[in-house]
Amino acid sequence: LSCDARAELVRSCGVQAYCCHPLLVQGEMIGTLSFGTMTRSRFNVEEVSVMRAVANLVAIALHRIETQQALRESEEHFANFMQRLPGLAWIKDVQGHYVYANDAAVQAFRVSRTELYGKADNEIFPTDTAAQFRAHDQKVLASMTALAVVETLEHADGIMHHSLVSKFPLYDSEKRVKGTGGVAIDITERVQAEQQLRKVTQKLRDADRSKDEFLATLAHELRNPLAPISNGLHILQLP
């Protein structure tokens, strides 16, 4: 509504004095807050000052509510994204303590979130496993760049699983490192297939080497009895 239309609407409701204040957040108007009375024809200066202060407080409160709502939505989107990743995902602080893990990671780590959050690798995993995880995290923090490595972890099925892991530094709003993130894709089947292929290839090489050795031995053994026969035939051909 225009100012005149708003004033006419207010008068039709019996309002004698009316004051409208903008709700400003960082110089941007997000709404208005209106005050009215049916008993007086105007507001005094002190009342207008109080209304302005109230409007400023309401603007701050509304902005905070909107910010919190946006933060909740962002956290929900983040959680949904991390849960739908085709693998394990986690976040650690600079000291190496877990602050987030998706369901796949919690299941693979064989601990609850309560047991995991706030703990470091050496408090969760065997010594050798924790050492490889920590060493790779330290490389990321030292280089400030992402790192792709293969890490191993024994799962609940008793099998040592191999994962292709991407680790990367995380920053806060002021570009300071706040920790590391990681995403792991299970490649155990591929590793097992490669190991099986290497075994088959080695067997073929061994078989080929055995064949060559057999042929060499056979040729040598055949030469030995053929030599005197050849000499005897040669003698028989003499006059």
Side-chain angles (χ1 to χ4, degrees), residues 118-225:
K119 301 290 183 60
D121 290 319
N122 62 331
E123 300 175 271
I124 303 296
F125 307 110
T127 302
D128 293 344
T129 300
Q132 67 166 324
F133 291 173
R134 185 57 182 166
H136 295 154
D137 290 346
Q138 290 176 339
K139 285 184 179 180
V140 170
L141 293 174
S143 64
M144 297 298 185
T145 57
L147 176 68
V149 293
V150 174
E151 293 182 342
T152 57
L153 174 66
E154 184 176 339
H155 287 203
D157 56 11
I159 298 175
M160 185 64 71
H161 284 246
H162 297 73
S163 294
L164 179 60
V165 183
S166 176
K167 294 190 171 184
F168 43 87
L170 298 174
Y171 304 90
D172 60 16
S173 59
E174 298 181 1
K175 304 300 182 182
R176 296 175 300 189
V177 176
K178 60 181 295 185
T180 60
V183 178
I185 305 298
D186 196 313
I187 58 171
T188 304
E189 291 184 359
R190 192 187 80 180
V191 171
Q192 291 174 342
E194 291 175 348
Q195 291 174 345
Q196 187 64 29
L197 179 60
R198 282 195 292 269
K199 290 180 180 178
V200 172
T201 302
Q202 186 61 45
K203 287 181 179 179
L204 291 175
R205 290 175 179 171
D206 293 342
D208 191 56
R209 183 169 57 253
S210 297
K211 179 197 67 176
D212 292 341
E213 293 174 353
F214 171 74
L215 292 176
T217 302
L218 179 62
H220 176 72
E221 294 298 332
L222 287 176
R223 275 197 302 271
N224 287 339

Side-chain angles (χ1 to χ4, degrees), residues 33-75:
L33 180 63
S34 300
F35 301 88
T37 178
M38 296 181 178
T39 60
R40 288 183 291 143
S41 61
R42 67 174 59 242
F43 295 113
N44 59 41
V45 175
E46 289 78 10
E47 290 172 333
V48 173
S49 296
V50 171
M51 295 174 190
R52 183 178 295 111
V54 171
N56 290 336
L57 291 175
V58 171
I60 293 173
L62 290 176
H63 178 62
R64 182 174 298 172
I65 291 172
E66 292 179 353
T67 301
Q68 290 174 344
Q69 178 64 27
L71 179 60
R72 283 194 296 270
E73 292 178 355
S74 177
E75 290 174 345

Side-chain angles (χ1 to χ4, degrees), residues 92-93 95-98 115-125 130 134:
K92 302 176 186 176
D93 62 20
Q95 288 73 37
H97 301 126
Y98 285 90
E115 297 171 317
L116 180 65
Y117 289 179
K119 301 290 183 60
D121 290 319
N122 62 331
E123 300 175 271
I124 303 296
F125 307 110
R134 185 57 182 166

